[in-house]
């Protein structure tokens, strides 16, 4: 089985996440994409007033709505608690799927994350045990207008798009995904919801319904 890992706060999960996962399955021919919500990310504070359980529930509802088993929720980081380090998650996934994997699991990350990959815990181990797939990303155009929903970087992380990805200087083996991905961000969506602006078609239907049901980000 060819397996890819898509981690993140999913605050909320949006059509960019959905489109990326679909590209990985349909065009890169992976069998499954694991959506892994982070519990306590080492590089940012989750500032929106939302419970971890609500972030997990959005991912659960999305994966169930798609069906077919190609998109799957894994709550290992939430279950583990503490700071969510990718090296720990990767070791867990490799052990969980021992004997089932075809090659290494792929680890998906946006350019803004890859720009600070060297600051991760044991980046060399992560790069050795996974196939890094870097996804082109662009700054959100609306979220910058409001500081309410913005993430706050931790430690020496720059956060979001303040760190510029330079592929020529990225020293780890990787695949750069040349396929254009939708330019939408969770920050933008939170800002739109908080300002009572349109966002309905920036998220999958089940996510929109859940945000409205729970009155999130207001």
């Amino acid at each position: 089985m060819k397996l890819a890992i898509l981690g993140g706060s999913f605050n909320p999960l949006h059509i960019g996440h959905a489109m990326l996962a679909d590209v990985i399955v349909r065009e890169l021919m992976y069998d499954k994409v694991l959506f892994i919500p982070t519990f306590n990310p080492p590089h940012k504070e989750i500032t929106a007033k939302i419970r971890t359980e609500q972030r997990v529930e959005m991912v659960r509802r999305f994966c169930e709505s798609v069906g077919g088993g190609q998109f799957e929720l894994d709550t290992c980081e939430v279950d583990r608690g503490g700071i969510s380090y990718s090296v720990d998650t990767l070791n867990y996934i490799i052990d969980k799927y021992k004997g089932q994997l075809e090659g290494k699991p792929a680890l998906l990350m946006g350019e803004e994350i890859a720009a600070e990959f060297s600051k991760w815990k044991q980046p060399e181990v992560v790069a050795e045990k996974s196939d890094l797939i870097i996804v082109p990303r662009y700054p959100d155009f609306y979220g910058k207008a409001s500081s309410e929903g913005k993430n706050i970087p931790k430690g020496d992380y720059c956060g979001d798009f303040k760190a510029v990805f330079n592929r020529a200087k990225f020293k780890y083996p990787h695949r750069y995904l040349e396929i254009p991905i939708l330019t939408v961000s969770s920050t933008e969506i939170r800002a739109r919801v908080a300002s009572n602006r349109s966002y309905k078609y920036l998220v999958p239907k089940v996510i929109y319904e859940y945000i409205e049901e729970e009155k999130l980000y207001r």
Side-chain angles (χ1 to χ4, degrees):
M1 174 175 58
K2 291 186 66 177
L3 183 68
I5 298 170
L6 178 54
S9 55
F10 300 114
N11 189 25
L13 185 151
H14 53 65
I15 58 172
H17 297 127
M19 182 66 182
L20 172 59
D22 195 52
V23 165
I24 295 301
V25 169
R26 290 179 179 269
E27 302 187 33
L28 271 61
M29 307 304 293
Y30 278 77
D31 299 299
K32 186 188 295 287
V33 176
L34 289 180
F35 285 75
I36 303 183
T38 188
F39 179 68
N40 181 10
H43 61 287
K44 67 181 179 182
E45 294 180 17
I46 300 177
T47 55
K49 297 180 178 67
I50 181 172
R51 300 193 307 275
T52 299
E53 294 78 10
Q54 291 173 314
R55 293 189 292 109
V56 169
E57 182 61 19
M58 283 191 279
V59 177
R60 185 189 314 280
R61 292 191 182 196
F62 169 69
C63 292
E64 290 177 353
S65 74
V66 174
Q70 292 178 317
F71 298 166
E72 183 177 308
L73 165 69
D74 193 303
T75 60
C76 63
E77 293 190 355
V78 172
D79 297 339
R80 190 166 65 237
I83 299 177
S84 302
Y85 290 115
S86 292
V87 66
D88 298 330
T89 298
L90 190 58
N91 287 332
Y92 164 81
I93 293 300
I94 291 172
D95 183 66
K96 178 179 180 179
Y97 290 91
K98 187 176 182 180
Q100 302 178 52
L101 294 177
E102 178 184 335
K104 302 176 184 178
L107 185 62
L108 311 176
M109 65 178 74
E111 283 183 324
E112 80 284 8
I113 302 299
E116 302 191 89
F117 179 72
S118 62
K119 299 176 184 178
W120 285 24
K121 179 181 179 181
Q122 300 179 357
E124 292 82 5
V125 175
V126 174
E128 178 186 352
K129 292 188 174 184
S130 68
D131 291 326
L132 302 181
I133 298 180
I134 299 175
V135 183
R137 287 291 307 278
Y138 304 94
D140 57 277
F141 60 86
Y142 182 79
K144 68 180 67 175
S146 170
S147 60
E148 176 66 23
K150 280 190 172 293
N151 297 311
I152 300 174
K154 290 182 181 177
D156 62 347
Y157 282 92
C158 297
D160 294 329
F161 296 94
K162 294 178 182 178
V164 179
F165 177 68
N166 186 329
R167 188 180 179 189
K169 294 183 178 180
F170 192 78
K171 64 181 182 179
Y172 306 95
H174 67 282
R175 176 174 183 174
Y176 189 82
L177 193 63
E178 300 287 355
I179 303 169
I181 297 298
L182 294 171
T183 57
V184 59
S185 76
S186 297
T187 302
E188 174 190 340
I189 294 167
R190 293 195 301 271
R192 283 181 169 269
V193 178
S195 301
N196 198 29
R197 291 175 62 96
S198 174
Y199 75 98
K200 183 175 183 178
Y201 299 108
L202 294 177
V203 295
K205 182 175 182 290
V206 291
I207 302 301
Y208 174 78
E209 292 171 348
Y210 186 75
I211 291 173
E212 293 295 306
E213 174 188 321
E214 294 290 310
K215 296 180 172 56
L216 301 180
Y217 310 121
R218 289 169 171 79

